[in-house]
Amino acid sequence: MEDKRGKEFERIANPDKNGVSSNIQVTCLPDNLKVTNGCNYTRKGSYLDDKYFIEKNYEKGSINTKTDSQMTGVGKGKLKSIKLVGLKKEGKKE
């Protein structure tokens, strides 16, 4: 289920050949991808997390999985936007 949602987000984000997308506001996503305080399809071990580095912007800060643990987003408030910020070289799921 989460792989399907991750692939749908990937299609909407439309990353370039390096795996970089524009910043996607969660309020602009279709209902089945909207989130409030977390995002299952971008969590550690998800399709998107296995394939891309992800930047998540919250009310009280942001995280970038290139340098931050996914858990550092805890306590930062509502998720505002998601951006794919590069391909991971290994662990890609197809």
Side-chain angles (χ1 to χ4, degrees):
M1 174 67 164
E2 297 313 323
D3 277 8
K4 182 178 177 183
R5 291 173 68 204
K7 288 177 182 180
E8 184 176 353
F9 179 86
E10 180 181 46
R11 183 185 53 77
I12 291 166
N14 193 26
D16 66 17
K17 64 180 176 144
N18 297 313
V20 177
S21 72
S22 61
N23 209 31
I24 308 297
Q25 301 297 315
V26 295
T27 56
C28 296
L29 291 170
D31 286 344
N32 67 318
L33 295 180
K34 286 188 179 170
V35 295
T36 53
N37 64 344
C39 186
N40 290 342
Y41 56 90
T42 64
R43 287 194 176 142
K44 184 174 177 147
S46 68
Y47 167 80
L48 290 174
D49 179 61
D50 285 346
K51 189 170 180 180
Y52 299 98
F53 292 108
I54 303 168
E55 181 179 283
K56 298 180 191 179
N57 297 296
Y58 297 89
E59 290 174 313
K60 301 175 187 172
S62 63
I63 66 161
N64 183 322
T65 63
K66 277 187 179 181
T67 56
D68 303 317
S69 161
Q70 288 268 15
M71 294 305 294
T72 59
V74 174
K76 293 193 183 301
K78 278 188 175 182
L79 182 63
K80 296 295 188 179
S81 65
I82 304 165
K83 179 178 181 178
L84 304 177
V85 291
L87 286 169
K88 290 183 174 177
K89 298 297 181 205
E90 53 192 29
K92 288 191 255 181
K93 291 182 185 177
E94 293 301 326

